[in-house]
Amino acid sequence: MPKEEQIVTEGTVTQVLPGTMFRVELPGSRNVLAHISGKMRKRFIRLTTGDRVKLQMSPYDIDKARIVYRLG
């Protein structure tokens, strides 16, 4: 069986939480809980409130996401 495709979207970091977790606001006033991908952690990419980010979400659980890129 083929694997389900990831949903890729953009959002804005609204809150920095402990343990490299973040609250991210998506277009349409929707909030998700997101964590940093391993490559961002390895390269010591820092995120602060107000940063625009690219997210990957599973079609099965759209309340959680993985941050894969910082847009600025």
Side-chain angles (χ1 to χ4, degrees):
M1 291 180 63
K3 200 171 187 181
E4 293 292 324
E5 291 293 321
Q6 296 286 326
I7 299 169
V8 179
T9 186
E10 292 181 8
T12 305
V13 175
T14 58
Q15 187 179 10
V16 179
L17 302 170
T20 65
M21 300 291 280
F22 300 90
R23 285 265 177 227
V24 179
E25 184 176 353
L26 302 177
S29 300
R30 184 177 173 90
N31 287 323
V32 295
L33 183 65
H35 66 274
I36 299 179
S37 69
K39 288 195 179 214
M40 287 185 70
R41 216 175 268 200
K42 184 178 176 183
R43 299 283 182 193
F44 299 106
I45 305 294
R46 301 290 181 217
L47 296 174
T48 59
T49 304
D51 284 345
R52 288 184 40 236
V53 293
K54 187 187 290 187
L55 304 166
Q56 284 183 347
M57 299 180 354
S58 168
Y60 299 110
D61 188 8
I62 57 173
D63 292 330
K64 295 180 184 169
R66 176 185 309 125
I67 299 172
V68 294
Y69 195 78
R70 183 177 62 137
L71 299 171

